[in-house]
Amino acid sequence: MECGPVNILILLESKTIQTRRIEMQADEEMYRLIVNEISDGILVLDADFVARFANPAMLRILGYSPDELDGVWAGDLVWSEAEDLGRFAEETEKRRRGESGNYELRWRRKDGSARWSRISATARFDPDGQFDGSLIVFQDITERKRTDEALRLWASVFANSREGIAITDRNGIILDVNEAFVRITGYGREEVIGQNPRILQSGRHDSAFYAGMWESLYKASNWCGEIWNRRKDGEIYPQWLNISAVRDEESEVSHYISVFMDLSQIKSNEKRLELLAYFDPLTGLANRTLLADHMRMAIARSRRESTLFALGYLDLDGFKPVNDQFGHEVGDQFLQEIAKRIKSVVRGDDTVARLGGDEFVILVQGLRKPEECHHTFERLLAKLEEPIQLNGHHLTATGSIGVTLFPCDEADPDTLLRHADHAMYQAKEAGKNRIHLYDTEFDVEVRVQRELVERIEHALSEREFLLFYQPKVDLRRGRVIGVEALIRWQDPDRGLLPPSAFLPQIQNHLVSQKIDQWVLSEAVAQLMLWHAIGLDLSISVNVSGLSLQTHDFMNTLAKLLAAHPEINRSRLEIEVLETVALDDIEHISGIISRRQAEGIRFALDDFGTGYASLRYLKHLPADVLKIDQSFVRDMLNDEEDRVIVEGVIGLSRAFKREVVAEGVETLEHYLCLMELGCDFAQGFGIARPMPASEFLPWLENWLPPTEWVRHESGYNAAFSAHIGGSCA
């Protein structure tokens, strides 16, 4: 077939179209490859801004699959903050108007997290010029945003930090400093940029210090510690400095960042706190805490060097009147002067402490023998006695010092201090203005007494005490006239205890007054019970000298009797030891006389043990003398005891006093006492002390021995002969 010109033209055009189609297919493949491989996200939206296509990068940025993203309105992908939603609405309007735009916006990933993006948006139109949608190119700038935020934060920290910051290059040349650096060092920013930080050195640190610093920076890229530097005005001050090395991608140091804090105020506060923690603010002496530290060191030194140290506890005598008379200001000045005087006496390595008030402690170390400390404390007492002139006032001072020696008294610091305190009180009791050395045996006694007092207090609250009653009889008439109330302790652990097991240890303690008050209350209650059944007996109670001289006890006695007016007051008898009465005869006599005027009877117990003279007996208005049982018990075999018993009976007749013999144990005792003229007696030979529940049955059944009962007018010959044999 021939091919004319027309055919040739058609063939050429067909080939051109085919070639163009091939080229377009090639371009489409290339564009598709670019869209799929590009790192930026591409999102195609329709005219309603609904997603119709997203490239792999876009799907990766938002975290969706193609099916999940297809058909989603773009507004649902925008971060839900008002700022982002508002910007999205603004940009959609621009697209509808055919405007392109570049802007930043936050988008919400499928997992709920936000991603920042830089967006290039282009509007699309159909052949008729109608808005057909948008093409959006996303560039993920989240990491850049984070970096920008970090840089802003760092800039804010750098500018506003209260700590000084300096940045140097790898050679240590200062590149920049912040305002705090300028404020702390006194150097202006322009003055230090280009300089080496060596301009700040104080000269306090040697080359080894800086060598260690650089070694730490080289090995660990960091150094921190306390350092002393110099301000521009020359003042040396402490810093807490932290230097960090900044390394580049090749791990080479590119910069150093120094951050430091001025420690001047902190150091000043620490010094003030140390003074408050370890020193007395009034005198500047060591306080209890620092003293304890020095005592621990003194103990270690004593053991290491085999030396002694003395701990002296000083309490001023009569300091309270200084405060009361002249005021606290003068009192404080007085204490400051005392502190100076104490320090002037001791050596430099000794410690002087004030514990509070007018109490001081002196720690004297390095002693070879005890006499050395005695000389020191003697000088101290002499120094204290020197007159003190304060604000025109002439003052004087003395002190009582208790001393304990280590290792003679090998104890811990708290115990040593307590021992010295005990010794100081002994010095005061001995007359004040003196030195008393601690006695370990005395401390044991004090500790035992304290434990006993605690047990007695508990026993009183638990009603472990009870009264036993020992009958007193009329020897001539053979009848019971009264009882003596005797305390017993029903201890849960030790059983029934007699008074000798606990009363002697507390005779000078306040708890003895509580015991006396309890005994008195119980005895009066028992007297009431017997009175109610028509039993007319007297009850005698033993009272300590401490109670006898206190208002509390006498008030208790008066209240008890006032509450029971039906009781015959003469049926209550108070027994006082002769030795107690002789300690202060004038005072005790006055007390006895006043109570006798109220109808109460008094007896001198254990008479004969205190060696009262006739003059003393004349001035002691006691109604009854009770002969101590030790004389009565041995009078049958000991001539001297018989003479004493006879003498006491004679004295009682001469001074018109009743006499009661204690310790009557046998018939021979009865007979001898009657021969000597004694009318009343008590003892185991009559009856042992018994509880109230047993007393009435005993009383109903008791009969005196037949040999004992005689008519008051005299004795028959046989009876007299028997007496002569018993009492000769």
Side-chain angles (χ1 to χ4, degrees):
M1 181 179 68
E2 294 183 0
C3 294
V6 175
N7 292 333
I8 292 172
L9 180 61
I10 292 171
L11 180 61
L12 289 174
E13 184 176 345
S14 177
K15 286 183 179 180
T16 299
I17 292 171
Q18 185 176 3
T19 300
R20 181 62 180 165
R21 185 180 296 115
I22 292 171
E23 289 176 350
M24 288 178 65
Q25 289 177 348
D27 288 343
E28 185 178 348
E29 290 295 329
M30 181 181 68
Y31 290 143
R32 184 178 292 110
L33 180 64
I34 291 172
V35 168
N36 289 336
E37 296 300 326
I38 193 172
S39 61
D40 291 341
I42 296 175
L43 182 64
V44 178
L45 304 176
D46 64 15
D48 295 322
F49 297 94
V50 173
R52 295 304 178 194
F53 172 79
N55 72 339
M58 190 73 226
L59 295 172
R60 186 169 59 255
I61 291 171
L62 296 180
Y64 288 94
S65 67
D67 292 339
E68 291 173 327
L69 194 60
D70 186 37
V72 174
W73 180 54
D76 290 337
L77 300 174
V78 177
W79 190 247
S80 57
E81 294 288 339
E83 179 183 355
D84 299 284
L85 293 174
R87 185 61 186 272
F88 174 75
E90 180 183 331
E91 291 296 329
T92 57
E93 290 303 315
K94 289 182 179 180
R95 299 298 89 75
R96 286 191 175 95
R97 294 196 300 266
E99 298 177 14
S100 298
N102 297 306
Y103 58 96
E104 293 180 357
L105 194 66
R106 282 181 295 180
W107 297 79
R108 184 193 306 278
R109 283 175 50 84
K110 180 182 176 181
D111 62 10
S113 61
R115 302 296 293 184
W116 274 99
S117 62
R118 173 72 180 171
I119 296 175
S120 294
T122 304
R124 294 189 304 115
F125 295 89
D126 62 14
D128 297 329
Q130 298 297 314
F131 177 68
D132 193 36
S134 308
L135 176 65
I136 300 176
V137 179
F138 284 68
Q139 183 183 1
D140 191 341
I141 60 172
T142 303
E143 294 306 319
R144 195 202 76 193
K145 280 286 187 179
R146 289 173 179 168
T147 301
D148 290 347
E149 182 65 20
L151 289 174
R152 278 194 297 272
L153 287 173
W154 161 247
S156 177
V157 169
F158 185 79
N160 300 307
S161 174
R162 294 176 60 84
E163 298 174 333
I165 302 174
I167 303 173
T168 73
D169 63 17
R170 70 182 64 195
N171 298 314
I173 301 302
I174 297 174
L175 301 177
D176 201 0
V177 297
N178 69 345
E179 285 300 317
F181 179 101
V182 173
R183 173 175 49 80
I184 293 171
T185 66
Y187 285 98
R189 183 170 178 272
E190 296 76 12
E191 292 179 285
V192 294
I193 290 178
Q195 298 289 332
N196 189 287
R198 282 193 294 270
I199 63 172
L200 304 174
Q201 288 183 4
S202 65
R204 281 199 176 190
H205 305 288
D206 56 19
S207 57
F209 175 85
Y210 291 104
M213 176 190 294
W214 284 108
E215 182 180 4
S216 178
L217 285 169
Y218 176 75
K219 292 181 178 180
S221 297
N222 181 263
W223 180 89
C224 66
E226 187 176 303
I227 187 171
W228 289 80
N229 275 335
R230 188 188 304 274
R231 305 187 206 272
K232 182 180 179 180
D233 62 7
E235 179 191 353
I236 296 174
Y237 68 104
Q239 289 181 354
W240 182 262
L241 175 62
N242 190 314
I243 306 176
S244 298
V246 180
R247 299 184 180 273
D248 57 21
E249 295 82 356
E250 298 177 358
S251 296
E252 296 293 329
V253 174
S254 62
H255 299 83
Y256 292 101
I257 299 176
S258 301
V259 180
F260 62 90
M261 178 172 60
D262 187 349
L263 297 180
S264 301
Q265 189 61 43
I266 293 176
K267 289 288 186 181
S268 177
N269 291 340
E270 285 178 353
K271 189 172 182 180
R272 284 197 295 270
L273 289 174
E274 182 180 2
L275 287 172
L276 291 174
Y278 295 106
F279 295 92
D280 172 51
L282 177 64
T283 62
L285 299 177
N287 64 7
R288 189 182 293 270
T289 302
L290 186 57
L291 173 65
D293 288 342
H294 285 195
M295 287 176 67
R296 282 189 285 270
M297 290 187 287
I299 289 173
R301 176 184 172 184
S302 175
R303 289 169 175 164
R304 184 175 62 251
E305 299 178 359
S306 298
T307 56
L308 306 171
F309 74 76
L311 190 71
Y313 200 116
L314 166 67
D315 186 88
L316 298 180
D317 302 324
F319 170 68
K320 187 176 182 299
V322 174
N323 261 342
D324 294 344
Q325 184 175 355
F326 303 108
H328 290 288
E329 183 177 352
V330 171
D332 287 348
Q333 294 174 1
F334 183 80
L335 291 174
Q336 290 168 341
E337 177 61 28
I338 293 296
K340 292 177 184 177
R341 293 189 177 192
I342 298 173
K343 293 199 72 173
S344 70
V345 171
V346 301
R347 300 166 302 183
D349 60 345
D350 295 331
T351 300
V352 180
R354 177 175 177 247
L355 303 187
D358 59 344
E359 296 179 339
F360 300 83
V361 173
I362 303 95
L363 176 63
V364 183
Q365 301 187 58
L367 303 175
R368 296 294 174 184
K369 50 188 179 180
E371 293 79 7
E372 296 177 30
C373 81
H374 189 77
H375 298 325
T376 299
F377 294 126
E378 286 284 4
R379 290 198 309 272
L380 175 55
L381 289 181
K383 189 71 174 176
L384 291 177
E385 290 181 330
E386 295 177 5
I388 299 175
Q389 295 291 336
L390 288 176
N391 298 341
H393 303 299
H394 179 78
L395 306 175
T396 57
T398 62
S400 300
I401 303 177
V403 181
T404 190
L405 290 167
F406 184 93
C408 307
D409 179 13
E410 192 162 9
D412 59 82
D414 287 341
T415 304
L416 288 170
L417 195 60
R418 188 172 66 251
H419 290 173
D421 185 27
H422 289 171
M424 181 271 293
Y425 277 106
Q426 290 297 300
K428 282 191 176 294
E429 290 180 3
K432 302 182 180 179
N433 193 28
R434 64 192 63 222
I435 302 163
H436 186 88
L437 185 63
Y438 171 73
D439 183 352
T440 54
E441 292 183 4
F442 173 76
D443 183 64
V444 171
E445 292 177 5
V446 170
R447 189 163 59 252
V448 169
Q449 185 194 55
R450 184 169 60 248
E451 293 171 356
L452 177 60
V453 166
E454 290 174 357
R455 290 204 301 271
I456 287 175
E457 295 273 13
H458 177 75
L460 282 168
S461 64
E462 295 297 317
R463 301 192 62 81
E464 294 175 5
F465 291 106
L466 61 156
L467 287 185
F468 276 35
Y469 298 91
Q470 186 174 39
K472 290 189 289 187
V473 300
D474 184 330
L475 292 175
R476 303 196 182 282
R477 294 177 175 80
R479 65 185 179 88
V480 178
I481 60 168
V483 294
E484 180 180 358
L486 299 167
I487 192 170
R488 297 291 186 268
W489 182 0
Q490 189 64 57
D491 188 288
D493 299 322
R494 296 177 292 170
L496 189 64
L497 302 179
S500 59
F502 56 92
L503 288 185
Q505 295 93 317
I506 61 167
Q507 62 180 348
N508 292 318
H509 196 279
L510 292 178
V511 77
S512 66
Q513 297 181 45
K514 295 183 180 180
I515 291 284
D516 288 346
Q517 290 180 359
W518 179 86
V519 169
L520 182 64
S521 298
E522 291 292 309
V524 169
Q526 188 61 57
L527 199 60
M528 279 290 299
L529 290 175
W530 287 340
H531 175 78
I533 62 173
L535 191 60
D536 187 22
L537 294 175
S538 66
I539 294 182
S540 61
V541 296
N542 294 276
V543 174
S544 68
L546 192 62
S547 290
L548 190 63
Q549 300 177 65
T550 61
H551 293 294
D552 286 347
F553 180 80
M554 289 305 168
N555 288 339
T556 300
L557 175 59
K559 289 178 181 177
L560 281 172
L561 295 176
H564 304 290
E566 66 275 20
I567 293 179
N568 184 344
R569 296 191 176 194
S570 66
R571 293 296 181 259
L572 181 63
E573 187 174 280
I574 305 295
E575 293 191 12
V576 183
L577 286 174
E578 178 198 9
T579 50
V580 171
L582 295 180
D583 283 342
D584 190 349
I585 189 169
E586 184 176 347
H587 182 55
I588 298 297
S589 295
I591 293 173
I592 292 175
S593 296
R594 286 192 295 273
R595 299 309 164 192
Q596 283 178 325
E598 298 170 0
I600 301 170
R601 286 163 53 87
F602 279 82
L604 284 182
D605 196 17
D606 294 348
F607 193 81
T609 58
Y611 307 105
S613 70
L614 292 175
R615 182 171 62 85
Y616 286 158
L617 187 57
K618 179 181 178 181
H619 289 89
L620 279 171
D623 302 283
V624 181
L625 303 183
K626 297 189 74 173
I627 307 172
D628 184 64
Q629 60 181 320
S630 64
F631 302 128
V632 175
R633 187 183 301 115
D634 296 334
M635 69 180 181
L636 300 178
N637 303 311
D638 189 311
E639 179 65 21
E640 290 183 357
D641 286 345
R642 191 190 67 80
V643 170
I644 291 174
V645 171
E646 187 175 8
V648 173
I649 294 172
L651 285 173
S652 67
R653 285 179 176 172
F655 288 97
K656 296 181 175 58
R657 312 288 170 83
E658 292 181 11
V659 62
V660 177
E662 298 179 303
V664 175
E665 297 181 352
T666 66
L667 178 61
E668 285 74 16
H669 286 114
Y670 305 151
L671 301 176
C672 182
L673 287 169
M674 284 193 293
E675 177 192 4
L676 296 176
C678 181
D679 296 326
F680 307 106
Q682 68 185 84
F684 288 177
I686 301 170
R688 290 179 175 271
M690 66 192 80
S693 60
E694 297 178 11
F695 176 72
L696 289 180
W698 174 87
L699 182 62
E700 291 175 358
N701 297 309
W702 181 76
L703 291 173
T706 54
E707 297 89 346
W708 181 4
V709 181
R710 293 294 182 268
H711 194 271
E712 295 181 18
S713 60
Y715 308 103
N716 60 30
F719 187 50
S720 298
H722 188 95
I723 291 176
S726 299
C727 206

